[in-house]
Amino acid sequence: MRVIINGDKNLYTKFVESHPKGHILQTLEWAAVKDDNWGHIYVMVEDQGDIKASMLLLIRKLPIIGKNMIYSPRGPVCDMHDKTVLTFLITEVKKLAKQYNAIMLKIDPDIKADDSEVIKNLKDLGFMRNEEALNFEGIQPRFVFRLDIRPDLDELMANFHSKTRYNIRLAERKGVTVRMGTRQDLPAFHQIMEVTGLRDNFVVRPLSYFEKMYDCLHDRGYLELALAEYQGQIVSGIICLFCGDKCWYLYGASSNEHRNVMPNYLLQWEMIKRAKERGCTMYDFRGVSGDINPDNPLYGLYRFKKGFNGEFTEFIGEFDMVLSPMWYSIWQKAVPAFRKARRKVTLMLKRSKEDVEKHEHDAAGGME
């Protein structure tokens, strides 16, 4: 076996797209989306003329300390039960990580939580499993719903929860329509994304990020934007990503108006149909909480996605190979506190801005 570093891009892409564990987050186009803050390298393992494994490595400079972290989102792409190939790959990647002065190598593979063989393989290679997280504490969601969309549309619809079927048909009866969006629709999508973030208490990326994501992924066929309209107004939208025979629902946004006509249900149904047209066999609804107590503030998201009858899936989570124990310990303590503070300040500023704009609007209305 031999390792190939930054080799033939077409060969790398073909392998990622065709492998059962291939993932959009392992594509070179995704690396381009992230290149404002992350550098990257990509590796392949070749054995007797065949590619056996690949791995996209995102590299980020850590502030102050002058060292790096390396992260492979949903990597590596290989049969992780094949310990010979996995050991060779990780050994070579570890050498690269040391060359880049990294304090750790982080992975979060697309492997189910009950796969004890892969967990053992990773621990034997020196990885440490992060603490369990029930909500969205990790970089990628630990819990998702995944729907097998190989059955025909009638069977898929019949397997949805009765309330989900009712809401899809209600949206159709009320005159909600769905169309595929373009880059010119991104400002309108982002506007309702901001509304959604304030309503559901999460921080929204700037419009420029969505524009860059569109530019990097759409022409390649990796991204589609769908919009639901009611009475001539965009009321909700979703962004889905595609790679090989898989589709991921990445972002969803909805207005505070006309939620009673259930546009979000129809959007999901139309995008499931779109994924089938493209030859996909799996539709991933992405993150939900692992805490399915109805009192959990995230339970509504769980209930919405559960209605489409996907498989509730838990992944093995994040595994870190620690290369600098002291700096890794500092990182583990500092980053969660920083993210929590940043999120709190960002949401506070957004709400303050919204209050000011509302006050100005009300004042203007009073003078008319």
Side-chain angles (χ1 to χ4, degrees):
M1 285 186 288
R2 70 185 182 104
V3 64
I4 304 169
I5 303 170
N6 294 341
D8 187 314
K9 292 182 177 179
N10 291 328
L11 184 62
Y12 176 90
T13 296
K14 182 179 179 181
F15 179 77
V16 172
E17 289 182 346
S18 62
H19 196 278
K21 289 299 178 183
H23 202 286
I24 184 65
L25 302 186
Q26 282 287 296
T27 64
L28 299 180
E29 286 75 11
W30 185 254
V33 174
K34 310 303 288 185
D35 67 6
D36 286 343
N37 298 308
W38 300 79
H40 78 275
I41 53 179
Y42 57 98
V43 302
M44 294 178 281
V45 172
E46 182 264 339
D47 185 27
Q48 298 181 350
D50 294 327
I51 302 301
K52 297 293 187 181
S54 70
M55 200 168 181
L56 174 68
L57 305 171
L58 300 181
I59 306 165
R60 184 160 191 169
K61 193 83 168 179
L62 300 178
I64 302 174
I65 67 174
K67 295 180 180 291
N68 296 303
M69 70 166 290
I70 295 182
Y71 170 48
S72 184
R74 291 297 189 233
V77 178
C78 65
D79 177 3
M80 297 184 71
H81 301 93
D82 186 335
K83 195 168 185 179
T84 300
V85 170
L86 183 63
T87 299
F88 181 82
L89 171 66
I90 297 303
T91 300
E92 295 300 319
V93 167
K94 184 177 180 180
K95 293 177 186 176
L96 285 172
K98 289 182 176 180
Q99 290 175 21
Y100 278 85
N101 200 20
I103 67 169
M104 67 174 172
L105 166 64
K106 179 183 290 290
I107 63 174
D108 46 20
D110 186 340
I111 300 292
K112 292 183 179 180
D114 60 359
D115 195 329
S116 57
E117 182 180 350
V118 169
I119 292 172
K120 182 178 185 304
N121 287 345
L122 290 175
K123 289 182 176 180
D124 288 348
L125 287 168
F127 282 95
M128 179 176 64
R129 192 178 192 180
N130 275 355
E131 294 180 7
E132 294 186 5
L134 287 178
N135 292 314
F136 292 95
E137 294 88 346
I139 300 177
Q140 303 301 328
R142 177 115 176 219
F143 301 88
V144 302
F145 272 108
R146 284 186 157 178
L147 179 64
D148 180 352
I149 59 173
R150 287 175 294 182
D152 62 41
L153 292 175
D154 289 340
E155 184 177 346
L156 286 172
M157 177 68 86
N159 287 332
F160 293 166
H161 189 278
S162 59
K163 188 65 174 179
T164 299
R165 293 197 302 270
Y166 175 84
N167 286 338
I168 292 170
R169 290 164 180 159
L170 173 67
E172 292 174 325
R173 289 197 308 272
K174 292 292 185 179
V176 177
T177 59
V178 173
R179 65 175 175 87
M180 303 310 296
T182 67
R183 194 182 193 278
Q184 286 66 44
D185 291 306
L186 286 175
F189 172 80
H190 187 260
Q191 186 176 8
I192 57 175
M193 192 79 194
E194 292 275 17
V195 171
T196 307
L198 288 171
R199 185 179 65 233
D200 295 341
N201 202 39
F202 65 85
V203 176
V204 176
R205 292 183 181 273
L207 173 60
S208 59
Y209 179 83
F210 290 91
E211 291 173 334
K212 183 173 186 179
M213 186 166 60
Y214 190 96
D215 292 340
C216 292
L217 301 177
H218 179 265
D219 287 350
R220 179 72 191 181
Y222 287 156
L223 178 149
E224 292 200 19
L225 166 67
L227 302 167
E229 295 179 328
Y230 179 67
Q231 296 180 348
Q233 176 185 352
I234 295 174
V235 291
S236 63
I238 59 173
I239 288 176
C240 284
L241 302 184
F242 299 81
C243 183
D245 62 354
K246 310 173 193 74
C247 174
W248 294 266
Y249 160 46
L250 187 64
Y251 288 108
S254 61
S255 169
N256 287 333
E257 290 77 41
H258 308 300
R259 298 179 72 191
N260 60 309
V261 297
M262 303 299 169
N264 298 336
Y265 288 87
L266 185 60
L267 262 178
Q268 292 292 342
W269 175 234
E270 291 298 325
M271 193 56 89
I272 288 170
K273 292 194 287 185
R274 180 75 168 178
K276 280 185 67 67
E277 289 172 2
R278 293 183 46 140
C280 294
T281 61
M282 184 272 289
Y283 187 92
D284 191 323
F285 286 89
R286 291 275 288 177
V288 293
S289 173
D291 174 10
I292 58 175
N293 186 326
D295 294 330
N296 187 330
L298 296 171
Y299 182 76
L301 183 67
Y302 168 87
R303 184 176 55 193
F304 171 73
K305 296 181 178 182
K306 184 177 187 296
F308 291 89
N309 198 39
E311 178 188 3
F312 183 59
T313 303
E314 179 185 358
F315 296 117
I316 61 175
E318 295 181 359
F319 279 73
D320 293 344
M321 179 175 284
V322 179
L323 303 174
S324 177
M326 181 188 74
W327 287 116
Y328 177 80
S329 177
I330 294 172
W331 167 270
Q332 287 293 88
K333 294 174 183 176
V335 169
F338 170 76
R339 286 177 177 167
K340 184 177 180 180
R342 182 180 63 180
R343 177 175 174 273
K344 184 177 181 180
V345 170
T346 302
L347 287 171
M348 181 179 65
L349 291 174
K350 285 183 180 294
R351 288 199 172 93
S352 296
K353 180 181 177 182
E354 184 185 58
D355 289 342
V356 169
E357 291 173 347
K358 183 177 185 300
H359 175 75
E360 290 174 347
H361 173 77
D362 291 346
M367 290 186 291
E368 291 175 350

